[in-house]
Amino acid sequence: MTSTNVNFLEQSVSKFQSLEIDDRLTVLALLYTEISDAIPSLCLNNTPNEKTANLVAQIQNLPQGEQLFALRQLLNQDEVGERAIPAEEYASINVDDKLAFWYQLAQNLGTSIIGVPNDYIPSEKATEVLDLLHTPNIEDLVTFFKRVL
């Protein structure tokens, strides 16, 4: 990895982590939707995983308002209180399975998973992160995902 890629990665991760939780979800949803065709062949090997499929099913079985609450909790592991789904399951899966989990969620956005409304305009900070992550190098994006998930 070149120093440019390291700087890109550090800056991207830092800016992403400074976002409000809903902005983080928006960035993930929009990025995964945008690059979903490249992800399976690159890092998921199109192999279904029982743990990730179970987590996705748990999210899908929740009403849409609770889906959003559960996704917020998964991204904000430090949050205390009642959980919509057991956070330990998500915390126990490896980073590649987390990539697969979020990919599977993205595949179902707007159908069985609450989607980003068509008229939603990301915040200025979220747009800044999205602009930063518009890179032709999909491997850099996968590395970014691994760092923030």
Side-chain angles (χ1 to χ4, degrees):
M1 191 181 275
T2 66
S3 63
T4 304
N5 288 346
V6 171
N7 290 339
F8 155 80
L9 182 61
E10 294 304 322
Q11 185 179 17
S12 302
V13 168
S14 175
K15 285 184 179 285
F16 178 84
Q17 290 174 336
S18 72
L19 293 174
E20 298 289 326
I21 197 71
D22 285 347
D23 284 339
R24 287 190 216 169
L25 286 171
T26 298
V27 168
L28 288 176
L30 295 176
L31 285 175
Y32 261 95
T33 302
E34 187 176 311
I35 65 166
S36 63
D37 292 341
I39 290 177
S41 62
L42 187 62
C43 64
L44 300 179
N45 299 322
N46 292 321
T47 306
N49 178 299
E50 189 175 324
K51 284 184 179 181
T52 58
N54 181 42
L55 282 170
V56 170
Q58 286 181 54
I59 299 285
Q60 288 173 320
N61 289 331
L62 295 171
Q64 285 194 342
E66 289 182 42
Q67 287 178 355
L68 186 56
F69 180 69
L71 295 173
R72 286 175 180 146
Q73 289 179 323
L74 292 179
L75 279 183
N76 192 13
Q77 291 290 307
D78 298 333
E79 186 178 291
V80 295
E82 189 174 329
R83 298 259 176 199
I85 61 170
E88 303 80 37
E89 274 186 70
Y90 178 77
S92 72
I93 62 176
N94 67 43
V95 71
D96 289 327
D97 288 343
K98 287 179 181 177
L99 283 172
F101 168 76
W102 289 96
Y103 171 76
Q104 290 172 17
L105 289 177
Q107 293 297 102
N108 293 292
L109 285 177
T111 56
S112 62
I113 301 291
I114 189 169
V116 178
N118 290 336
D119 61 349
Y120 180 78
I121 299 171
S123 72
E124 187 177 321
K125 288 183 178 183
T127 301
E128 188 178 313
V129 173
L130 287 166
D131 289 345
L132 185 63
L133 292 168
H134 280 271
T135 173
N137 188 340
I138 194 76
E139 290 173 5
D140 284 344
L141 284 175
V142 170
T143 302
F144 165 79
F145 285 135
K146 287 181 177 184
R147 292 276 306 272
V148 300
L149 298 176

